[in-house]
Each structure stands twice: as C-alpha cells, then as structure tokens.
C-alpha cells in the first residue's frame, strides 16, 4: 500500500472517526461547549468515502466507537464490570452501521441534510429501545440548558431536537463535500451561488427559526398554566454505595435522614422525599410479619412511623420490598422489589406502594438467566454482589395523594434511572383516560454507586450531572416538575420548561444546583404545577418509531446495494 493509499484508506478515516468521538464526548461535559454538537458528526460523515473498502471502514468505525463508549461509560464499571464491558461492546456496533449507511447515501448522492437525521438519530431511537432502553448521550442532551430550543420536545420528544442538530451536521457536511469535489477553477464561488446550497440553507434556517419561535411562545405562555405546590422537602445523603450496603450502617443512615427531615418540616414542608433504598431493609408489612421484633425491618419501620407522628410529617421513603412464599417446602423470599413507600403523619403507611417498573440490566437484574445460563453465571461472578440480586419489576403506574387543607395534590415517583425513560415517565404522568394524574414527580435515586471513594474522600463522576441534564427532557416532554432526592446528588427542582432551579426557599445545600455533588444536606421549595397535557404525553415516542424504521430501511438498502455490487467487482477482477 503506497503512502497516498495508506493516508486515504487508513489515516484519514481514523482521524475523522476520532474527531467525532472527541466532539461527542466534549459536548456532554459539564462546561458549556454545546454549540459543537451542531458539527460533531461532520468529520465522521466526511471520511465515509464511497471508495473506502468495507473491510477497512467497518473495523475502524467499530474500534473508534468502542473507544468512545469505553471512555464515556467509565463510571459504569464502578457498579458492574460485566455491564460496562457488555454495554461498551454492544453500543460500539452502532458505529459500523452508521458508517455503512453514510457511505451508501453518499454513493447515491442523496442529500445529507435529510438522510443524516434518519441515520444518526435513528440509531439513538434504537439505543433507547434495546437493553430496555439506554437513553444516554443523545445529541439533544447537550442542549439541556438552551430553553428556547428544548421546548419542541413536548411534541417530538428529545429526538426532535437531535433531528434539528443533525440537519445542521448534514448541511455542513454537504457544504464541505461540495467544496472538495468541485473541479471548477473557483469552487467557493460555485458553492455559494448554487441553488442547491441555498435550498438547504433555507430549510435549516426555517426549521431553526420555527423551533426558536415555538420555544419563545411556550416560555411566554407558561405562567398562564401554572400554580405553585405546597413546600416540598428533599434530603440528600452523601454515602458511597459500598458503605451504604453494609447493614451495620443502616440505623445511623436512617437517623441522619430523620434529622434532615426535621429541618424540612420546620421550614414548612408538607412532604419530604428520601433517596432510593436508603432504608436498608424490606419494610413492607407482608415481609415484616415474618420478622422478629428486634430485626431491622421492624425497627426501621417503627423509627420512621414514630418520627412521622412526632413531627406530623409525610415522608416518601425509598426501600426494598420482599414477598414471602413457599419454595422447596419452606418459607423463602420469592420476589424482591425496589420500592417507594409513603408514611403519613399518623405513622401509618399508605396502602399503595410504588414498585420500580424500569429495571436496569446488570444492576437490578441479570440477563440470560434462562436463555444462556453460562453467561448469566459469568455476569453474576463479575457483579458487585455475592448473591442473586434479580428484582421483580412493578406493573402499576400509580400516583400518591397529598392532602393539604381543603386541597389534595397528586404526585408520581420515578425511581433511579426511570427519569431517563420517556415511556415510563409519560405513563405515570397520564392516567388511562389521557388526563394528567400527577401534579409533579419525585425522582428518588441512589447515585452513590457512581462516585469514587478513597481515604474518606468522595469524588463524583460525570454521571451525576448527566443524569440531571437528562431529567430536563422528561419535564419538557410532559410539562411537569420533577423534584429530585438523590444520594450523593444532584438533588434539585426542575421546572416544566426544563429550567434547573438554583437556590431554594430553605436549605443548606449549595445554591448553584450543579455544585450539589458529593455533599450532604437538605432543601425545601415549591414546584410549579402545570396544567398542560402535551402531544408527547398523549402519543409518546412516535418520532422514535419513524426514525428507527428509517435507519433499518437505509441499512437494508445499503446491504442490498453492496451485495449487488460484489459480483461485478469479482467479475472486474477476473
């Protein structure tokens, strides 16, 4: 292979894929370089030349894609090495698919500003479906702080904004490619005087202007549809999960939760939220009936009930639940749930319990238990637990009630990563008749898994800030507030416009929301109650379906075209 061929077939593709990987990583960083999202995929598109052999294109795309996901999912290996490896290996498979599709549309000379959104955002749609959905690192997420742009998500969902960003990427790639491949003496003049260039530019400008105008309209009209909730408290412990999991720490953790809750109630909070599974025992009544009086489930339940009675407090508690049944002719735990309980001011527990519906693979259940047992056993060996930790998923998209004087409020709960799941969120927001059953949502989570702990010091990872940014889109999609209570952070209020609120009515956490990482504290604040029912809430991820189908069709056409060309290439060689 001569020097020119080596450069064109190896070095340039490697550089282009790597440039996109770097840009895609940077735009998800805590510092604001979100504008780079509008060109992030351009290097990738440029190097997918129609002349580049697939035997070179595919391995290069996969290798760089694997490096991208290994680097960006580093925080996952703290929780599950098996999940980290599996997710990285599988997510990287999208990159060769993207490369094949881009090469195909370039060979056909189809307009990139139209096909690029189908290809790249179609991949995001599939990413949100496989493995029960991994709604992470979308292009749209980089724009979470741009309130004008994200308002269209109440129609299209987060992928609607990703489409707009990819239109810009496709347009930019078209401009560069037209400039490169023009043979005229003055290609720059030719480029900017072509009707094709101006047609694309007009389409993009119209789409961008429509998005901005819609966003301005929604933000301006928002106050007409809103009223304030009662004061709500949120408690944020700062306990690394390996410390939390040590059962001897359970009483001290609970005592600290109660102490911070007292501050919330003293500030006037009508409801206090505790993070996911911070009470270290199953506390459902059916399980407690089989426990001794001095056991943790019984003791912890009494501590919470006694506190609620003393302070007339309503507390949302994150804890596990367990079902006792007969297994091999003896009593045993037959089902385990990740649950939310509501303790009332009289010390009783609301008969309704919310059990987490969207379970996280590798973290809350192990795939392949029945289908490929040897893989299941290997994953269990690599997991952070020394026992079978498969949970049972909940089935009831329920809402709790909160009486306050003559008015009764309703709120739903999202446990852990459920705030990244558009489908679970919208089903909790709306009832079966299509009416809004929740005035706000509470996201309780334990992100203590995603911090590093050494010599008593806790170092947060980017996961904490990224989770908060992703929650923004659930608020806009459904025009609902989310108040977050998260172990190690970030606990905050996110408004129905997607605005992440700094400050609070009372509290001791840092005022800037993004500074609430790896700190302990509490706050109390009101949240806006929005009466609007959105198109997305009613119809769900309809755009995801269109785009997901689109990339499958393009990929099938690309494979068919490749197979059709292959015999001709062989004939030519003969």
């Amino acid at each position: 292979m001569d020097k020119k061929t080596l450069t064109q077939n190896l070095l340039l593709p490697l550089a282009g894929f790597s440039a996109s990987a770097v840009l895609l990583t940077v735009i998800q960083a805590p510092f604001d370089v979100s504008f780079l999202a509008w060109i992030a995929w351009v290097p990738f598109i440029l190097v997918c030349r129609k002349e580049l052999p697939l035997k070179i294109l595919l391995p290069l795309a996969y290798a760089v894609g694997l490096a991208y996901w290994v680097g960006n999912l580093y925080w996952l290996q703290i929780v599950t090495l098996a999940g980290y490896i599996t997710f990285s290996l599988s997510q990287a498979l999208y990159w060769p698919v993207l490369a094949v599709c881009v090469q195909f549309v370039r060979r056909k000379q189809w307009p990139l500003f139209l096909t690029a959104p189908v290809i790249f955002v179609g991949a995001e749609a599939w990413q949100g479906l496989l493995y029960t959905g991994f709604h992470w690192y979308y292009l749209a997420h980089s724009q979470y702080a741009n309130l004008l742009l994200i308002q269209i998500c109440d129609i299209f969902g987060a992928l609607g904004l990703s489409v707009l960003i990819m239109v810009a990427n496709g347009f930019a790639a078209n401009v560069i490619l037209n400039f490169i491949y023009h043979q005229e003496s003055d290609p720059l003049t030719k480029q900017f005087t072509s009707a094709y260039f101006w047609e694309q530019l007009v389409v993009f400008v119209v789409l961008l202007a429509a998005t901005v105008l819609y966003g301005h309209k929604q933000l301006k009209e928002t106050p007409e549809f809103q009223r304030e909730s009662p004061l709500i408290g949120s408690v944020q412990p700062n306990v690394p999960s390996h410390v939390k999991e040590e059962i001897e720490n359970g009483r001290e953790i609970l005592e600290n939760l109660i102490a911070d809750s007292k501050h919330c109630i003293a500030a006037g909070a009508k409801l206090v939220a505790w993070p996911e599974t911070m009470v270290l025992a199953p506390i459902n009544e059916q399980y407690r009936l089989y426990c001794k009086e001095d056991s943790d489930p019984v003791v912890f339940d009494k501590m919470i009930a006694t506190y609620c009675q003393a302070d007339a407090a309503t507390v949302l508690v994150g804890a596990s639940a367990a079902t006792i049944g007969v297994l091999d002719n003896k009593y045993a735990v037959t089902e385990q749930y990740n649950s939310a309980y509501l303790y009332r001011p009289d010390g009783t527990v609301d008969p309704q319990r919310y059990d987490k519906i969207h379970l996280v693979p590798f973290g809350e259940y192990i795939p392949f238990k029945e289908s490929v047992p040897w893989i299941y056993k290997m994953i269990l060996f690599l997991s952070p637990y020394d026992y079978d930790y498969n949970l049972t998923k909940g089935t009831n998209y329920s809402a709790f009630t909160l009486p306050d004087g003559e008015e009764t409020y309703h709120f739903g709960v999202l446990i852990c990563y459920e705030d990244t799941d558009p489908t679970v969120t919208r089903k909790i927001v709306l009832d079966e008749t299509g009416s809004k059953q929740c005035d706000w949502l509470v996201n309780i989570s334990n992100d203590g898994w995603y911090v590093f702990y050494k010599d008593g010091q806790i170092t947060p990872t980017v996961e904490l800030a990224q989770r908060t940014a992703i929650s923004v889109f659930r608020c806009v999609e459904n025009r609902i507030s989310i108040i977050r209570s998260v172990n190690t952070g970030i606990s905050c209020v996110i408004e129905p416009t997607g605005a992440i609120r700094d400050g609070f009515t009372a509290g001791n956490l840092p005022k800037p929301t993004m500074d609430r990482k790896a700190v302990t504290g509490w706050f109390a604040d009101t949240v806006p109650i929005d009466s609007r029912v959105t198109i997305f809430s009613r119809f769900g991820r309809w755009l995801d379906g269109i785009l997901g189908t689109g990339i499958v069709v393009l990929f099938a056409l690309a494979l068919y075209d490749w197979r059709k060309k292959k015999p001709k290439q062989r004939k030519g060689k003969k």
Side-chain angles (χ1 to χ4, degrees), residues 178-241:
N178 287 342
F179 177 77
I180 292 173
Y181 287 105
H182 268 309
Q183 300 300 316
E184 289 79 8
S185 58
D186 190 4
L188 193 61
T189 302
K190 181 72 175 179
Q191 167 80 354
F192 293 113
T193 56
S194 69
Y196 186 57
F197 168 81
W198 289 105
E199 287 169 0
Q200 293 179 73
L201 181 61
V202 167
V203 169
F204 172 66
V205 169
V206 168
L207 290 175
L208 181 61
T211 300
V212 171
L213 288 173
Y214 181 79
H216 177 75
K217 177 178 178 292
Q218 291 297 99
L219 292 173
K220 184 179 179 181
E221 292 178 353
T222 290
E224 301 175 19
F225 300 95
Q226 290 187 350
R227 58 195 176 97
E228 289 297 306
S229 75
L231 213 62
I232 305 170
S234 171
V235 174
Q236 177 174 306
N238 186 35
V239 185
S241 282

Side-chain angles (χ1 to χ4, degrees), residues 106-120:
R106 283 189 58 183
R107 184 163 56 245
K108 294 295 184 181
Q109 296 186 343
W110 292 350
L112 284 166
F113 84 107
L114 294 179
T115 54
V118 176
I119 296 169
F120 290 90

Side-chain angles (χ1 to χ4, degrees), residues 258-303:
I258 290 173
D260 280 338
S261 298
K262 288 179 178 291
H263 295 301
C264 292
I265 295 298
K270 302 298 181 181
L271 168 70
V272 181
W274 294 354
E276 167 199 19
T277 61
M278 290 307 291
V279 176
L280 301 187
I283 56 173
N284 55 306
E285 184 178 14
Q286 197 262 0
Y287 181 79
R288 285 187 283 111
L289 289 174
Y290 292 88
C291 298
K292 297 178 180 179
E293 282 299 308
D294 60 348
S295 65
D296 285 341
V298 175
V299 170
F300 291 167
D301 169 71
K302 286 182 177 179
M303 287 176 66

